[in-house]
Amino acid sequence: MSHLTVVHHPLVQHKLSLMRRVETPSNQFRQLLREISHLLAYEVTRDLPMTTREIETPLQKMDAPVLDGKKLALVSILRAGNGLLDGVLELIPSARVGFVGLYRDEETLKPVQYYFKAPEGMNERVVIAVDPMLATGNSSVAAIDLLKKAGATNIKFLCLLAAPEGVARMKDAHPDVQIVTASLDEKLNDLGYIVPGLGDAGDRMYGTK
Ligand code: URA
């Protein structure tokens, strides 16, 4: 399995282009993020552990494949992570959910933790951390550090956009964490924003700024 998976599917790319447009309003941005999160969830969950359960079709009994759903945790990196979380949770409603609150100090670009809550039994779960933007990688690495401290050993990172700098930083700090994204963008600018990017994901989602 590759450390980085870019989902090139036409629907993902089309919706992402709509999200990037500066004139796309918050309500459409959120709706598109929700739709893309379903498509990205398909990719990030492709090797989830399965089990079987005996069911009865109208014709006969069978051992049917089902998700080993109790063993999954979704962790939203606040606040923008919630936009991806909602969509993924619609597809996997039985997943447990955790939250990591980190904000980026605008001068140092370093993450500052203000909240952490994880489900029990993190060591037994496939953990999918979600954050739309993998920029410098500082917050993502700090979030994964916290999840590992809480016992997680099987972690995936789902984002909408990634910068090469963030991917490299994650690979260096957490080579075991697979990253799934809709786009590997060009670079970071001097303010730590992804370019061409889509701006501040939280502001775009919630109309703040
Ligand atoms: N966070 C964002 O919301 N956007 C960026 O471009 C970088 C970090």
Side-chain angles (χ1 to χ4, degrees):
M1 177 193 51
S2 160
H3 181 253
L4 177 71
T5 303
V6 180
V7 181
H8 296 288
H9 192 285
L11 287 177
V12 171
Q13 294 305 315
H14 181 81
K15 289 176 192 297
L16 177 57
S17 297
L18 295 175
M19 291 181 76
R20 289 183 190 272
R21 294 175 60 172
V22 66
E23 62 268 37
T24 299
S26 290
N27 59 345
Q28 278 174 28
F29 189 92
R30 284 196 304 273
Q31 177 61 30
L32 288 160
L33 182 56
R34 198 180 206 90
E35 291 167 8
I36 287 193
S37 64
H38 292 161
L39 299 164
L40 295 178
Y42 175 84
E43 184 60 39
V44 79
T45 55
R46 79 165 47 248
D47 61 356
L48 277 187
M50 301 288 290
T51 184
T52 57
R53 191 175 299 149
E54 191 181 84
I55 62 163
E56 217 171 320
T57 77
L59 301 181
Q60 66 173 56
K61 286 186 177 171
M62 70 172 285
D63 288 324
V66 292
L67 281 177
D68 194 359
K70 277 190 290 243
K71 297 220 160 33
L72 192 73
L74 304 175
V75 177
S76 169
I77 301 173
L78 300 171
R79 71 181 155 148
N82 283 7
L84 276 176
L85 172 71
D86 290 346
V88 179
L89 204 48
E90 279 172 3
L91 288 194
I92 321 168
S94 60
R96 300 292 167 93
V97 180
F99 294 92
V100 179
L102 294 167
Y103 68 85
R104 187 165 67 152
D105 185 299
E106 292 299 331
E107 275 172 23
T108 63
L109 305 183
K110 294 259 155 61
V112 183
Q113 182 194 333
Y114 63 89
Y115 189 74
F116 182 78
K117 186 89 177 172
E120 284 180 0
M122 289 290 274
N123 56 328
E124 295 171 346
R125 299 180 186 278
V126 176
V127 177
I128 303 175
V130 297
D131 186 349
M133 310 301 269
L134 175 54
T136 60
N138 290 336
S139 319
S140 314
V141 165
I144 304 295
D145 285 343
L146 290 168
L147 295 174
K148 286 187 173 175
K149 233 183 256 172
T153 55
N154 185 353
I155 306 174
K156 295 167 187 293
F157 187 87
L158 178 63
C159 59
L160 187 60
L161 295 187
E165 294 89 334
V167 171
R169 172 109 170 77
M170 277 282 274
K171 186 168 188 183
D172 193 42
H174 297 296
D176 54 310
V177 174
Q178 185 203 6
I179 299 167
V180 173
T181 186
S183 175
L184 180 60
D185 270 19
E186 200 184 314
K187 60 177 182 181
L188 293 179
N189 70 10
D190 292 343
L191 297 174
Y193 280 87
I194 299 175
V195 286
L198 49 72
D200 185 295
D203 286 342
R204 296 289 312 268
M205 281 167 61
Y206 299 119
T208 44
K209 184 87 180 156

